[in-house]
């Protein structure tokens, strides 16, 4: 049984800027998507869970153990992939993984096996002996995932893992996450909503350092029912609506009009019809509806 | 993970990173040039012996220290800290392992310089006399004299230089310019002997007296032409080399010199200890 409890955690940086404010979450095994706009506090939260940052107030426990009082124990079950994966360009992929594996306390045959398994898992076994400086951005991301998986972590933290990946690589990454066996808690921070839809069971929405929403994906989509509209309009009308409404997608039709999907609680234009919301639209609704209130609260 | 395993792990990987980098080759060439220069200049102009040694110690230790700063910087450059410190490895073991690796590299290169100087001195006598320097057919200074010079004058600045560069780069999170300026200022002021004895990193202020007496003794043995490298005749040059050899072996026995060397050792260890403390504190306080 895996349990990560985040209790009333806040983090204040210099100049009294709060990166996180009174976050409380209780997480169990599964894949969780951590989403939110830039500056929401996603990276700060992951850095804290990776024992690289301590909260200003509050505490985090892993199966009842305070991870800041006993960080070594937490680090033994941890796999962390930072936002920008740091690699030594003159090492080969295999050497780099051996290095990280040894830092994680793996040795001998076990280390060798884990390195090979992880390289295979991320589809890099044929490039294992190539120096990392010759790797593309996508390949480096895969090396980043491999190093995080080396110690078969129970707590896997991935910060923007699909950033810079092309569509094929992104799909491959999703497959890797889906193929992970065993009981573990995977937290994936991203602002690419479609990734979350494909990988996560649950969602945590952070905004301005606070948890704005937590639950499963269908619940969030259900909350947006009745708030997503589609309509055809003239270009002038579209330009006017853009200013006042949240538009989730738009395209020009063959008769030189605009067809757009709008996220709003009330019918934005005569003739607009309700449609089934996507997760992205539900996310837009959740972040826009609360932004003013959140602003006021933080101030 | 056992502490010694973590230490060996840090040592091995730091060494591999160094071997794969370019700076090792540059440094190897630099030490080769310095060693050849030292060997030839001592042989050709024994009257300027201590000047040659001072320049050689200054350039060799300064170059190696700056290179150590560059090597120590690699971890910061590639932002490996987040990955390393999110693993269970112990701070003390990791930092000591890295330091010992850097020290091995520094001492290795200073030994290369010394070995090249010995070989130059030796080859100069052995292989070329009939062709180019037939008139320089006198005994070489000898291995013992070079070893003596190495451990008295190269080893300790190397120890301090490695600790200083490593500590400052680590504590200042890769502020190379500040580190290099600090090292260059300390080395140059030490060379110019403007610092008090306890701050004399290169230790050159300690042989000033005997260097003077050596110059007087050599002056008596060598004629003006031999002193300016115009004609080097065998008999007086052998006498000169013996004088230099004896002067080297006599050097470094003063209590002030020994205290200075001991102090450099203590400061070096203290710097590493402080670095371990600062990084450990940062890691624990998550700064």
């Amino acid at each position: 049984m895996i349990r990560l409890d985040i209790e009333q955690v806040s983090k204040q940086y210099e100049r009294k800027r709060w990166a996180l404010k009174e976050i409380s979450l209780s997480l169990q095994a599964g894949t969780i998507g951590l989403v939110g706009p830039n500056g929401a506090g996603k990276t700060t939260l992951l850095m804290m869970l990776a024992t690289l940052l301590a909260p200003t107030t509050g505490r985090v426990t892993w199966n009842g153990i305070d991870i800041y009082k006993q960080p070594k124990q937490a680090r033994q079950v941890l796999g962390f992939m930072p936002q920008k994966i740091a690699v030594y360009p003159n090492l080969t992929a295999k050497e780099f993984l051996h290095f990280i594996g040894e830092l994680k306390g793996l040795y001998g045959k076990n280390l060798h096996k884990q390195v090979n398994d992880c390289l295979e898992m991320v589809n890099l076994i044929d490039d294992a002996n190539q120096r990392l400086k010759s790797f593309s951005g996508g390949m480096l991301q895969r090396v980043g995932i491999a190093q995080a998986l080396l110690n078969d972590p129970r707590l896997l933290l991935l910060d923007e893992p699909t950033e810079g990946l092309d569509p094929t690589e992104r799909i491959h990454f999703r497959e890797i996450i889906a193929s992970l066996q065993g009981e573990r808690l995977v937290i994936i921070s991203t602002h690419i909503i479609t990734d979350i839809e494909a990988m996560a069971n649950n969602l945590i929405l952070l905004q301005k350092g606070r948890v704005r929403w937590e639950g499963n994906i269908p619940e969030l989509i259900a909350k947006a029912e009745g708030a997503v509209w589609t309509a055809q309009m003239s270009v002038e009308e579209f330009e006017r609506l853009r200013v006042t409404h949240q538009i989730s997608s738009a395209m020009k039709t063959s008769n030189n009009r605009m067809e757009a999907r709008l996220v709003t609680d009330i019918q934005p234009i005569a003739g607009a019809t309700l449609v089934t919301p996507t997760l992205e639209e539900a996310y837009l609704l959740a972040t826009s509806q609360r932004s003013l209130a959140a602003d006021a609260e933080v101030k | 993970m056992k502490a010694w395993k973590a230490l060996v792990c840090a040592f091995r990987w730091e060494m591999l990173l160094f071997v794969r980098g370019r700076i090792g080759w540059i440094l190897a060439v630099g030490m080769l040039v310095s060693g050849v220069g030292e060997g030839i200049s001592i042989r050709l102009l024994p009257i300027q012996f201590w000047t040659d040694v001072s320049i050689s110690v200054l350039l060799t230790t300064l170059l190696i220290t700056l290179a150590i700063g560059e090597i120590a910087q690699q971890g910061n450059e590639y932002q490996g800290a987040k990955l390393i410190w999110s693993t269970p490895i112990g701070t003390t073991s990791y930092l000591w392992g890295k330091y010992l690796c850097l020290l091995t590299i520094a001492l290795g290169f200073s030994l290369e310089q010394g070995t090249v100087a010995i070989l130059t001195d030796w080859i100069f006598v052995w292989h070329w006399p009939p062709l180019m320097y037939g008139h320089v057919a006198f005994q070489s200074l000898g291995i013992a004299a070079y070893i003596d010079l190495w451990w008295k004058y190269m080893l300790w600045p190397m120890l301090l230089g490695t600790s200083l560069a490593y500590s400052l780069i680590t504590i200042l999170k890769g502020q190379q310019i500040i580190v290099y300026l600090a090292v260059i200022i300390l080395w140059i002021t030490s060379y110019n002997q403007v610092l008090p004895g306890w701050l004399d990193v290169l230790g050159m202020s300690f042989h000033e007296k005997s260097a003077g007496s050596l110059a007087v003794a050599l002056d008596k043995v060598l004629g003006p032409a031999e002193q300016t490298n115009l004609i080097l005749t065998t008999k007086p040059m052998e006498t000169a080399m013996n004088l230099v050899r004896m002067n080297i072996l006599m050097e470094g026995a003063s209590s002030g010199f020994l205290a200075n060397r001991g102090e450099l050792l203590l400061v070096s260890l203290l710097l590493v200890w402080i670095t371990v403390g600062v990084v450990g504190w940062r890691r624990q306080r998550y700064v």
Side-chain angles (χ1 to χ4, degrees):
Chain A
M1 175 81 175
I2 278 172
R3 194 181 170 93
L4 179 74
D5 289 305
I6 301 169
E7 298 167 23
Q8 289 291 307
V9 162
S10 297
K11 178 69 187 174
Q12 190 179 32
Y13 286 125
E14 297 88 8
R15 295 176 199 163
K16 296 187 174 178
R17 189 177 70 83
W18 288 96
L20 290 175
K21 192 95 180 171
E22 292 161 8
I23 301 267
S24 286
L25 293 163
S26 188
L27 309 174
Q28 291 177 5
T31 304
I32 292 169
L34 183 63
V35 295
N38 288 336
K42 304 187 293 290
T43 296
T44 300
L45 182 59
L46 285 196
M47 294 269 283
M48 280 184 176
L49 300 181
T51 73
L52 294 167
L53 269 180
T56 309
T57 58
R59 67 176 203 146
V60 179
T61 59
W62 171 257
N63 291 338
I65 296 165
D66 190 319
I67 67 167
Y68 306 112
K69 285 184 179 156
Q70 290 168 284
K72 210 163 187 174
Q73 290 195 17
R75 287 169 189 150
Q76 264 154 1
V77 296
L78 176 72
F80 176 51
M81 179 188 172
Q83 198 167 8
K84 278 182 186 162
I85 177 72
V87 294
Y88 298 99
N90 288 325
L91 295 185
T92 67
K94 200 170 206 169
E95 285 167 346
F96 178 70
L97 293 184
H98 269 96
F99 171 50
I100 299 294
E102 282 189 29
L103 294 179
K104 291 184 174 192
L106 302 172
Y107 285 96
K109 282 181 185 171
N110 185 28
L111 172 62
H112 195 71
K113 184 185 175 301
Q114 283 296 103
V115 167
N116 281 340
D117 287 353
C118 288
L119 280 168
E120 246 172 64
M121 190 184 280
V122 298
N123 209 12
L124 280 175
I125 198 78
D126 293 337
D127 301 292
N129 295 315
Q130 300 294 317
R131 293 212 182 170
L132 291 167
K133 63 182 166 192
S134 67
F135 276 30
S136 68
M139 288 164 90
L140 288 175
Q141 291 291 88
R142 281 188 267 156
V143 173
I145 297 158
Q147 65 79 26
L149 291 171
L150 275 173
N151 55 334
D152 192 20
R154 299 293 98 187
L155 175 60
L156 181 60
L157 307 171
L158 306 167
D159 196 1
E160 306 281 4
T162 54
E163 184 83 26
L165 298 189
D166 65 33
T168 317
E169 285 170 330
R170 188 169 289 156
I171 289 165
H172 184 70
F173 171 78
R174 291 172 188 170
E175 286 168 8
I176 292 167
I177 298 302
S179 68
L180 292 177
Q181 305 286 319
E183 191 189 35
R184 76 185 82 229
L185 171 59
V186 183
I187 303 178
I188 305 168
S189 155
T190 184
H191 52 255
I192 303 168
I193 302 298
T194 46
D195 284 343
I196 293 300
E197 205 163 16
M199 288 183 285
N201 329 102
N202 289 300
L203 200 71
I204 296 167
L205 201 161
L206 280 184
Q207 192 177 21
K208 301 202 174 199
R210 290 174 186 272
V211 175
R212 294 296 165 215
W213 195 83
E214 186 203 352
N216 64 39
I217 291 168
E219 277 174 28
L220 184 65
I221 295 174
K223 275 180 73 103
E225 290 284 354
V228 181
W229 307 79
T230 184
Q232 274 205 8
M233 63 203 83
S234 67
V235 175
E236 292 75 28
E237 276 176 316
F238 175 75
E239 289 301 329
R240 184 174 52 79
L241 278 174
R242 271 179 75 168
V243 180
T244 50
H245 290 77
Q246 179 82 59
I247 291 170
S248 63
S249 67
M251 61 184 289
K252 219 166 207 173
T253 60
S254 53
N255 54 3
N256 213 21
R257 284 170 67 81
M258 295 297 293
E259 186 172 334
R261 283 171 74 102
L262 299 99
V263 182
T264 174
D265 287 330
I266 50 167
Q267 191 182 32
I269 184 173
T273 53
L274 279 169
V275 286
T276 308
T278 63
L279 177 61
E280 202 163 35
E281 286 158 344
Y283 166 81
L284 282 176
L285 186 71
T287 48
S288 65
Q289 270 180 345
R290 290 165 171 83
S291 59
L292 282 175
D295 269 345
E297 220 171 327
V298 171
K299 277 172 193 167
Chain B
M1 191 183 348
K2 283 179 182 163
W4 68 267
K5 271 192 173 179
L7 189 143
V8 172
C9 164
F11 184 100
R12 269 192 323 114
W13 287 103
E14 196 65 25
M15 188 60 86
L16 183 65
L17 285 176
F18 163 72
V19 170
R20 291 283 168 81
R22 280 189 196 151
I23 198 150
W25 296 106
I26 298 167
L27 207 52
V29 173
M31 293 304 106
L32 188 76
V33 172
S34 170
V36 169
E38 186 182 317
I40 289 177
S41 56
I42 288 175
R43 188 138 194 91
L44 287 183
L45 280 171
I47 196 109
Q48 287 184 15
F49 170 76
W50 281 112
T51 309
D52 295 336
V53 169
S54 303
I55 293 172
S56 183
V57 170
L58 170 75
L59 293 179
T60 305
T61 57
L62 185 59
L63 196 66
I64 293 177
T65 300
L66 298 180
I68 289 298
E70 193 65 33
I71 299 163
Q73 165 64 8
Q74 285 186 120
N76 297 308
E77 200 177 323
Y78 303 125
Q79 298 174 359
K82 276 182 200 164
L83 281 187
I84 293 167
W85 300 134
S86 67
T87 68
I89 194 159
T91 314
T92 309
S93 308
Y94 184 81
L95 291 177
W96 271 101
K98 190 170 171 177
Y99 171 70
L100 290 176
C101 175
L102 295 175
L103 189 60
T104 306
I105 293 167
L107 295 181
F109 279 106
S110 75
L111 279 173
E112 178 206 332
Q113 191 268 357
T115 309
V116 171
I118 291 170
L119 287 174
T120 305
D121 188 5
W122 183 58
I123 290 169
F124 214 74
V125 181
W126 241 46
H127 294 276
W128 293 344
L131 295 172
M132 289 172 66
Y133 295 101
H135 54 289
V136 204
F138 51 87
Q139 287 287 306
S140 69
L141 195 56
I143 294 174
Y146 280 100
I147 291 174
D148 210 57
L149 277 177
W150 183 82
W151 88 262
K152 282 175 185 166
Y153 295 100
M154 288 286 188
L155 175 64
W156 310 98
M158 252 8 316
L159 201 61
L160 181 78
T162 305
S163 302
L164 193 62
Y166 174 58
S167 298
L168 290 180
I169 287 279
T170 309
I171 291 170
L172 298 175
K173 295 180 178 174
Q175 298 290 322
Q176 279 169 294
I177 302 292
I178 296 171
V179 178
Y180 293 163
L181 272 178
V183 169
I184 289 169
I185 289 169
L186 184 60
W187 256 243
I188 298 286
T189 49
S190 173
Y191 177 75
N192 289 327
Q193 299 179 19
V194 292
L195 297 172
W198 63 274
L199 266 176
D200 185 359
V201 178
L202 304 177
M204 292 301 157
S205 61
F206 294 96
H207 56 68
E208 214 173 22
K209 263 188 188 172
S210 60
S213 59
L214 175 67
V216 172
L218 288 173
D219 211 28
K220 284 179 188 165
V221 174
L222 304 172
E226 282 150 338
Q227 286 188 23
T228 51
N229 187 26
L230 293 174
I231 303 164
L232 302 175
T233 50
T234 305
K235 191 68 186 164
M237 286 308 288
E238 271 194 357
T239 313
M241 278 297 165
N242 277 332
L243 283 170
V244 171
R245 201 177 296 123
M246 275 160 47
N247 193 260
I248 295 168
L249 296 172
M250 271 174 5
E251 269 309 317
S254 76
S255 58
F257 181 80
L258 292 175
N260 170 276
R261 305 286 98 168
E263 172 209 310
L264 292 188
L265 173 66
L266 279 178
V267 171
S268 304
L269 295 175
L270 192 67
L271 281 169
V272 183
W273 182 76
I274 289 170
T275 308
V276 171
V278 168
V279 176
W281 180 83
R282 278 182 187 156
R283 198 181 178 193
Q284 206 145 31
R285 300 285 187 285
Y286 313 95
V287 182

